[in-house]
Structures are given as structure tokens and as C-alpha cells.
Amino acid sequence: MTARWHILGVGAIGGLFACRLQSGGAEVTLLSKLCNEPSRQLVLNNTSTERFHFPQQAVTHNDDPIGHLLVCTKAWAVESAIEAVAPRLSASSIVVLLCNGMGLAETVAPLIGKARLVVGSTTSGCRRSREGALIVSGEGRTQLGMLNSSPAPPWVSPWRRGVPDFEWETDIHSVLLAKVALNAVINPLTALHGVTNGDLMQPPLRAITEDVIKEVQSILCSAGATEIASSLPAHVRAVCDSTAANHSSMRVDLENGERTEIDAIVGWLLSSLTPHPPATPILSELYDAVKQREMDVSRA
Ligand code: KPL
């Protein structure tokens, strides 16, 4: 039987994965807070333009249980979004969190009862055009896994068929740590300087990018994550190259006057990874600058 996936958080990444799962053979329903329309079209501008059609439901459509839920909301919105759908989950439901930042699984686990929690990371680069089309700037790599190291479950088939470079990971914690380290380098710099991901690898920003990488490496090393630390420079380079034209999610948030994920990314690294973090003056300054810009745009 074809699994139905409900998508919570239909921004650029949520929309992209809705299209990918439908391409992989899954039935996909979009969840919306207001749900003015019973269906919705998403336009994907990849190598060619493709149109995808989906049924759409209100988050609180309580008479339709959810078997497979993909959550792509902003990190700060995860808790309230899950609370809204929690009555539709059961012990046989799967909840996949594909969000930036760390500390989210701990927040979500108590809200979903006996449903199984899966966490993931993607380096896909996707943004919305002014007209609302999804513009893919890098196919990226997508990894899912369970924190108890379970092997791949059968429901991953549409992910394998529809998502490029997809992998089920038994050590998903390391994948998430590597991703938060990557986002801590790319997101604040691109947001504050208003540049594309690719610009970080070019002068004049290349030098500061390297300095931020060194500081993030020092935090990772103080937490014993030395392998992730040593692969960080190559990881940043690879993602900046493969998503060179992309506007990072934090850049888009600041430009739209929206709250960013700085707390779940840089805030988490600065205060939650290790009890005695080393001094990281540049990263701390970037954190403060993003918080300041958030305040300035919310007052404007
Ligand atoms: O995760 C991203 C983001 O923008 O939040 C990357 C991978 C850096 C793509 O832009």
C-alpha cells in the first residue's frame, strides 16, 4: 500500500520534499494553519519547470489520523506546530523532523506520545521566487535516522526513489552535529552580509569564513567531536559550492523581517554542546549581530 505523508511547514524545503516524495510514489497532503483551499499547486524550477498538485488540509482536521508526518517548520515553530497535530498521531505514526538546529528532538519527544521519532538533515538548497515557485540551487544530501540507531524501516522507499542522494543513517546524531556546525558557519555570515552561499568562498568574505570555521571547530573539539571538526572545512566548501546561488534560510528570514533560527543553531553550539565552551569571539559577535538585526526588523 502507498504510504500517505502529511507535510507540516510548507516553506521552500517543505515544498521541495512534498514534490520529491510525490515523485517517489507517496501520496502527499499539505497541512496548513488556515487551509482556505482544498488543494494546492507547487511549481518546481529545477532543470525544467514541473507542476505538482496536492490535497491540502487544516492542521486541526482531527478526523483524519496521520500515519507519516514530515515536519519542515522553522526550529522555533516546531513545538507549537507539533502540539497542533498531536491529537492526530497514534502509536503507529512516524514523525520525521527535517529542521535546522539542535535540541528539537528533546522538545518534540514528550509531545508525540508513542509515535516514533525520526530526525534528519538536508543540505538541499531551495528558495522561493517572488512568484512563489521553488527554485532549487543544489540537490544536496538528505539523511534520516533514529536516535536509537535503528536500521532502515520499510517506509523509506519513496524517500529512496524521490530524494536525490538519500541515505538512512544509523549514527544520525553525528550527522545532525555536522549540519548544525555547517549552518553556524554559513547562515549568520550570509544573512548579515546579504550574500549567496557561494560568496563565502570568495574574497573578501573567505577570510572571515575561515575564522568562523576555526571557532566552530574549537567548540566541536572541546566536546570530543574531533572527526566532525576536521571535516568541517571541506563540508562548508562542498555545500557553498553545490548551493552557490542559494540564499541561506537565515538570510531569507532576516530579509523578510522574520525570526531566524539563530538560537537553535549558533545559540545551541555556544551554550548547550559542552559545559565549558572555549572563547569564540567572532561567533559570539555574529550571534549578537543577528539577534540585534532581528530586533531592529521587528521594531521597524
Ligand atoms: O541549510 C541550509 C540553510 O540555508 O539553512 C543550507 C544547507 C546552508 C543551504 O542554504
Side-chain angles (χ1 to χ4, degrees):
M1 207 182 77
T2 318
R4 173 165 294 280
W5 282 84
H6 285 79
I7 315 286
L8 187 58
V10 189
I13 290 293
L16 174 64
F17 277 83
C19 300
R20 285 173 163 181
L21 287 175
Q22 195 179 79
S23 304
E27 289 183 18
V28 177
T29 297
L30 308 183
L31 293 173
S32 145
K33 251 192 221 149
L34 301 171
C35 192
N36 308 323
E37 306 288 339
S39 64
R40 184 166 164 197
Q41 171 183 270
L42 292 177
V43 178
L44 190 63
N45 277 334
N46 204 353
T47 38
S48 59
T49 299
E50 289 174 277
R51 287 169 205 282
F52 293 82
H53 296 92
F54 303 94
Q56 185 167 244
Q57 269 178 4
V59 172
T60 50
H61 191 97
N62 282 348
D63 45 354
D64 184 21
I66 294 180
H68 299 83
L69 178 67
L70 171 61
V71 184
C72 296
T73 61
K74 293 290 174 189
W76 50 263
V78 166
E79 189 172 358
S80 59
I82 296 274
E83 273 168 354
V85 292
R88 300 175 62 179
L89 301 172
S90 67
S92 59
S93 305
I94 308 292
V95 176
V96 175
L97 285 187
L98 195 59
C99 306
N100 277 338
M102 289 292 266
L104 304 179
E106 291 79 353
T107 306
V108 167
L111 305 175
I112 60 169
K114 292 205 162 80
R116 268 161 298 159
L117 185 60
V118 173
V119 284
S121 149
T122 183
T123 53
S124 304
C126 185
R127 68 190 167 90
R128 276 187 186 283
S129 71
R130 236 183 265 275
E131 298 72 35
L134 300 166
I135 318 267
V136 183
S137 64
E139 296 284 17
R141 178 165 212 222
T142 300
Q143 292 151 291
L144 296 185
M146 289 174 85
L147 291 165
N148 64 4
S149 311
S150 298
W155 55 257
V156 291
S157 326
W159 290 77
R160 292 202 196 288
R161 286 193 298 262
V163 179
D165 202 359
F166 171 79
E167 251 183 316
W168 180 265
E169 279 291 340
T170 43
D171 180 14
I172 195 69
H173 177 77
S174 299
V175 171
L176 295 187
L177 192 52
K179 176 70 185 340
V180 81
L182 171 89
N183 283 129
V185 177
I186 297 180
N187 293 24
L189 283 173
T190 49
L192 292 167
H193 292 275
V195 296
T196 62
N197 294 356
D199 288 332
L200 296 186
M201 288 292 103
Q202 308 298 330
L205 290 171
R206 200 186 164 115
I208 187 167
T209 305
E210 281 166 5
D211 291 342
V212 177
I213 290 175
K214 284 190 195 116
E215 289 197 353
V216 174
Q217 284 179 306
S218 73
I219 303 180
L220 292 168
C221 286
S222 77
T226 47
E227 270 182 43
I228 296 175
S230 41
S231 51
L232 185 62
H235 195 193
V236 171
R237 204 174 319 115
V239 173
C240 284
D241 288 349
S242 68
T243 64
N246 203 52
H247 298 192
S248 76
S249 54
M250 196 171 286
R251 174 180 174 187
V252 173
D253 290 339
L254 269 195
E255 287 177 351
N256 291 341
E258 281 162 14
R259 185 171 166 189
T260 72
E261 298 176 307
I262 193 77
D263 285 310
I265 298 173
V266 180
W268 184 87
L269 271 178
L270 292 177
S271 21
S272 302
L273 179 59
T274 155
H276 304 294
T280 49
I282 307 173
L283 194 61
S284 304
E285 211 175 288
L286 290 173
Y287 174 82
D288 292 341
V290 172
K291 293 297 274 187
Q292 186 60 51
R293 284 275 276 277
E294 271 184 350
M295 276 200 294
D296 295 345
V297 288
S298 71
R299 275 199 215 106

